[in-house]
Amino acid sequence: MTGLKNRAAISILLMVSLGHLLNDMFQAVIPAIYPMMKESLGLSFMQIGAITLTNQITSSLLQPIVGYFSDKHPRPYGLVVGMCFTLTGLLLLSMAESFPLVLISVAFVGVGSSVLHPESSKVAQLASGGAKGMAQSIFQIGGNVGRAFGPIAVALIVVPHGQGSIRWFALLAIVAIWVLAKICSWYKRQITLSGRNKSKSDTERRVGNQSSGMNERHLSRQQIVVALLVLLILVFSKNFYTANIQSYLTFYMIDKFGLSVTASQYVLFAFLVSTVIGLLIGGELGDRYGRKYVIWVSILGSSPFALLLPYCDLMWTIILVILVGMVMSSAMPAILVYGTELLPGNVGMISGAFFGLSFGLGGIGSAVFGWLADITNIQYVFQLTAFLPLLGIVTYLLPTIKEKN
């Protein structure tokens, strides 16, 4: 792993990834228990939507705000505080007997997530040793794995034992607090060593000094604005497409090929595994060859697979699903690191904005495509969304950020 040679830094990255895994698993528990909550509390679909909205607002929209203030006023133990919010939310959710208390519970869990993502992303970049893409990949893999295990954990623990068993996840939150406390101690030492108590420049300068140098970029304000808008379009393209796959692939496989629910879940699992592999590949290639090239290949390069997928037989559909997941997921580390290089010293704000946007777009995309599937059919939705990766053509407008050797 290019640049990741310091054992202490590697251990910090692994702990950050573990913290991300647990946090996103807790987030994934919420939608997984909707059927149980709907029945036990007599909730309507509108109320279920309100629960999702509350969690999305607190976990998505707050992230860039938290990141902005943490860039200006770093709080090394903010990660622990965030997980304490999550712990409180899980405990409340395990005993919630009314709709308002459920809303309060998921809001606490969302706030915890809004703190973890920008702060952890800053720690990952600080521990990267210059291999920013690989560090982001390791960090993001934890989240992907956590989201995959959330529903499984609910099926094994909550479904057989009831709502009260959610408190077992609270025990895992205590483990996460211990892990994050270790990270925070290391983070505090780095701030002390940097000689200043603000991360507006310390993380970027320390990481920049450790690497071969990403210093003067000579980009105008207009170029930076255009580049950020292009990144937003790319994030929209990626997350709308993957939201459709994650939410409706099982229904598609059942509808088109007559697979069982269990068999279709295996196909979805293969897709999720491929995204983990793609994250690792994207981070490594971005460090070696440049972020822009990886973004080109990841978004636009996945379009042939996406366009072919709705018209293939079962075997080729599974192969193309895996290829799309692997290629497209490799974009996120490159997009995130490219954004932080456009605005050095704003790692927390950029990370919070892009993570928050990813979650928000994923939720919106899932709702939009569900509505579209209701009025048409699921196969039509897959045919339509196959054109989204073509938006990767706008990568041409990204300026090339030159590195000093």
Side-chain angles (χ1 to χ4, degrees), residues 119-404:
E119 282 290 350
S120 293
S121 187
K122 287 166 62 179
V123 172
Q125 187 146 319
L126 182 60
S128 69
K132 301 178 186 178
M134 178 54 69
Q136 280 297 328
S137 295
I138 294 172
F139 168 58
Q140 291 177 33
I141 283 171
N144 281 33
V145 173
R147 285 191 293 275
F149 274 102
I152 296 174
V154 168
L156 294 175
I157 298 173
V158 182
V159 172
H161 304 291
Q163 180 182 343
S165 61
I166 295 175
R167 65 173 62 95
W168 290 105
F169 291 98
L171 291 179
L172 286 177
I174 294 174
V175 173
I177 289 172
W178 178 79
V179 172
L180 294 174
K182 296 285 187 181
I183 297 171
C184 293
S185 297
W186 180 86
Y187 185 22
K188 184 177 182 180
R189 288 196 298 272
Q190 302 312 301
I191 293 177
T192 301
L193 289 173
S194 72
R196 59 181 66 202
N197 190 32
K198 64 177 184 178
S199 63
K200 179 76 175 178
S201 60
D202 61 2
T203 55
E204 287 291 334
R205 290 180 180 176
R206 286 180 61 77
V207 170
N209 290 337
Q210 295 168 358
S211 65
S212 58
M214 174 71 72
N215 296 316
E216 298 178 13
R217 292 164 180 75
H218 306 295
L219 296 180
S220 67
R221 182 181 295 272
Q222 182 179 359
Q223 285 179 304
I224 293 174
V225 171
V226 169
L228 288 173
L229 289 175
V230 169
L231 292 181
L232 290 177
I233 293 172
L234 294 172
V235 170
F236 162 80
S237 169
K238 174 188 177 299
N239 284 281
F240 253 56
Y241 184 79
T242 55
N244 176 56
I245 296 288
Q246 292 178 5
S247 298
Y248 303 111
L249 178 62
T250 54
F251 296 100
Y252 177 81
M253 300 302 290
I254 293 169
D255 181 71
K256 184 172 183 179
F257 301 110
L259 294 187
S260 66
V261 175
T262 301
S264 66
Q265 289 288 350
Y266 286 137
V267 179
L268 179 59
F269 181 74
F271 170 78
L272 294 173
V273 170
S274 73
T275 63
V276 172
I277 297 171
L279 283 172
L280 275 176
I281 294 173
E284 179 71 11
L285 293 181
D287 289 333
R288 287 181 179 272
Y289 304 111
R291 324 293 173 198
K292 183 175 178 179
Y293 301 111
V294 172
I295 296 171
W296 264 117
V297 174
S298 297
I299 306 296
L300 189 61
S302 63
S303 59
F305 306 133
L307 289 167
L308 286 171
L309 193 152
Y311 306 100
C312 293
D313 60 19
L314 176 59
M315 183 187 73
W316 277 105
T317 296
I318 295 172
I319 292 172
L320 290 174
V321 162
I322 293 171
L323 288 174
V324 167
M326 189 181 304
V327 175
M328 186 170 282
S329 66
S330 64
M332 196 57 188
I335 289 174
L336 188 58
V337 175
Y338 187 97
T340 62
E341 290 172 347
L342 284 173
L343 295 173
N346 293 278
V347 178
M349 183 183 70
I350 292 295
S351 301
F354 280 109
F355 278 121
L357 185 65
S358 296
F359 296 150
L361 287 175
I364 294 171
S366 180
V368 169
F369 296 136
W371 167 79
L372 188 60
D374 283 337
I375 63 174
T376 57
N377 60 72
I378 195 67
Q379 294 189 41
Y380 175 77
V381 171
F382 271 70
Q383 293 168 1
L384 184 64
T385 56
F387 292 94
L388 283 170
L390 290 175
L391 288 173
I393 193 68
V394 300
T395 306
Y396 175 79
L397 300 175
L398 288 177
T400 300
I401 299 178
K402 298 180 179 179
E403 300 188 18
K404 281 189 173 184

